């Protein structure tokens, strides 16, 4: 699979971003299931994707994908139990899983375990569940500091070239995270970045207009073997030249 140029989709507002991203997820899911019998999708955590997950599991769209053939994974998890308010699994359960007509196979990161153990267990699960081709699609958000998943600027986790999953203590958050590493992210057939809100405008300008490769931000180290697509709203794109997608 050849690496093609990243595609930038600028939508007029967050609702339009969720609809456009949902349409692409459903398209890639149907294609994966038709071609390979299953869809291996890694979900983003945080706040932005909540509206996308709610839309994907809405009455309007939930029937558009054969969820029984979908395997759901996590790009990262906080070092907390699944009921904790910070748990990405809890957020996904509340916004997506609770409303799906058919239960997909869900492979959560065991944030309640000691972080190194959770990372080792998840790496073993990925080895068992994923073919050599890796994920069909990985959804990612973007932090204002340029982090993706739980790969933060300056972290040793960014230098990991062998382990697919690592545990990392994030000093500025005073919290442990378990995260997929760049080799796994870059091995995916598709990666979608979801960026919404004025508070992401500076980092988006830096990434899309930045030509120097000295001290790249984590998101600038993302070079998937397949297709990288940005779904951003006009607020996040306010500093960049763009032609807005139709809503
Ligand atoms: C997490 C996410 C993280 C998130 C970014 C953006 O566990 O929080 O994996 O990488 O995607 O921090 O977060 P928002 O979408 O909430 O702005």
């Amino acid at each position: 699979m050849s690496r093609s140029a990243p595609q930038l989709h600028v939508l007029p507002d967050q609702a339009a971003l969720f609809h456009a991203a949902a349409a692409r997820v459903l398209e890639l899911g149907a294609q994966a299931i038709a071609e390979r019998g299953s869809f291996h999708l890694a979900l983003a955590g945080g706040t932005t994707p909540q509206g996308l997950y709610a839309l994907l599991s809405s009455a309007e769209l939930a029937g558009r994908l054969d969820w029984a053939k979908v395997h759901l994974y996590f790009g990262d998890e906080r070092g907390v139990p699944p009921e904790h308010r910070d748990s990405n699994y809890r957020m996904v359960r509340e916004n997506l899983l609770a409303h799906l007509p058919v239960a997909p196979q869900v492979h959560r990161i065991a944030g309640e375990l000691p972080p190194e153990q959770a990372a080792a267990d998840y790496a073993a699960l990925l080895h068992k569940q994923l073919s050599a081709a890796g994920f069909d699609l990985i959804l990612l958000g973007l932090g204002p500091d340029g982090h993706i998943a739980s790969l933060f600027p300056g972290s040793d986790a960014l230098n990991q070239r062998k382990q697919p999953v690592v545990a990392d203590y994030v000093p500025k958050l005073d919290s442990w995270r378990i995260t997929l590493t760049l080799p796994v992210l870059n091995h995916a057939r598709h990666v979608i970045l979801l960026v919404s809100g004025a508070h992401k405008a500076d980092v988006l300008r830096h990434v899309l207009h930045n030509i120097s490769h000295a001290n790249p931000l984590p998101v600038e180290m993302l070079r998937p073997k397949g297709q990288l697509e940005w779904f951003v709203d006009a607020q996040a794109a306010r500093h960049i030249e763009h032609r807005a997608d139709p809503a």
Side-chain angles (χ1 to χ4, degrees):
M1 178 173 291
S2 66
R3 181 178 288 127
S4 43
Q7 277 190 342
L8 174 66
H9 307 283
V10 180
L11 286 308
D13 55 36
Q14 191 178 72
L17 185 164
F18 291 150
H19 275 89
R24 192 70 175 120
V25 171
L26 294 173
E27 180 186 4
L28 292 171
Q31 184 185 345
I33 290 168
E35 291 175 4
R36 296 179 292 279
S38 57
F39 181 38
H40 295 268
L41 166 60
L43 298 172
T47 311
T48 302
Q50 292 179 19
L52 170 61
Y53 300 154
L55 183 56
L56 284 170
S57 60
S58 67
E60 179 195 351
L61 295 186
R64 304 273 183 89
L65 191 61
D66 184 353
W67 289 96
K69 294 182 178 153
V70 176
H71 288 255
L72 295 176
Y73 305 78
F74 290 77
D76 67 331
E77 186 54 278
R78 289 77 180 280
V80 296
E83 296 308 317
H84 192 282
R85 69 178 180 284
D86 291 345
S87 165
N88 283 334
Y89 171 78
R90 174 174 167 174
M91 180 274 288
V92 166
R93 194 193 64 227
E94 290 172 351
N95 289 281
L96 180 68
L97 303 181
H99 312 288
L100 287 180
V102 178
Q105 296 216 33
V106 182
H107 309 288
R108 76 176 180 88
I109 299 171
E112 68 277 20
L113 294 180
E116 304 291 349
Q117 182 63 54
D121 290 356
Y122 211 61
L125 178 132
L126 295 184
H127 183 70
K128 181 165 147 272
Q129 287 290 343
L130 285 181
S131 74
F135 285 104
D136 294 308
L137 174 60
I138 298 178
L139 298 176
L140 294 171
L142 176 63
D145 61 357
H147 79 261
I148 47 175
S150 283
L151 297 168
F152 286 81
S155 166
D156 281 347
L158 290 164
N159 306 315
Q160 181 56 247
R161 291 292 174 271
K162 290 226 181 311
Q163 291 307 318
V165 190
V166 295
D168 196 31
Y169 177 73
V170 184
K172 71 176 177 183
L173 300 176
D174 186 24
S175 79
W176 278 92
R177 295 287 187 97
I178 299 97
T179 184
L180 300 186
T181 56
L182 282 167
V184 173
L185 301 183
N186 285 332
H187 189 57
R189 291 175 189 273
H190 282 86
V191 175
I192 285 178
L193 274 155
L194 303 162
V195 189
S196 170
H199 63 305
K200 304 289 177 75
D202 288 343
V203 67
L204 197 61
R205 172 175 48 191
H206 175 88
V207 173
L208 297 186
H209 287 182
N210 184 26
I211 46 177
S212 79
H213 294 284
N215 305 319
L217 296 175
V219 65
E220 293 178 294
M221 299 170 78
L222 191 57
R223 298 193 183 309
K225 77 178 181 202
Q227 178 71 52
L228 172 60
E229 293 185 76
W230 294 79
F231 285 82
V232 308
D233 63 17
Q235 280 208 338
R238 64 185 184 163
H239 293 329
I240 56 176
E241 302 300 314
H242 64 273
R243 186 174 37 79
D245 282 27

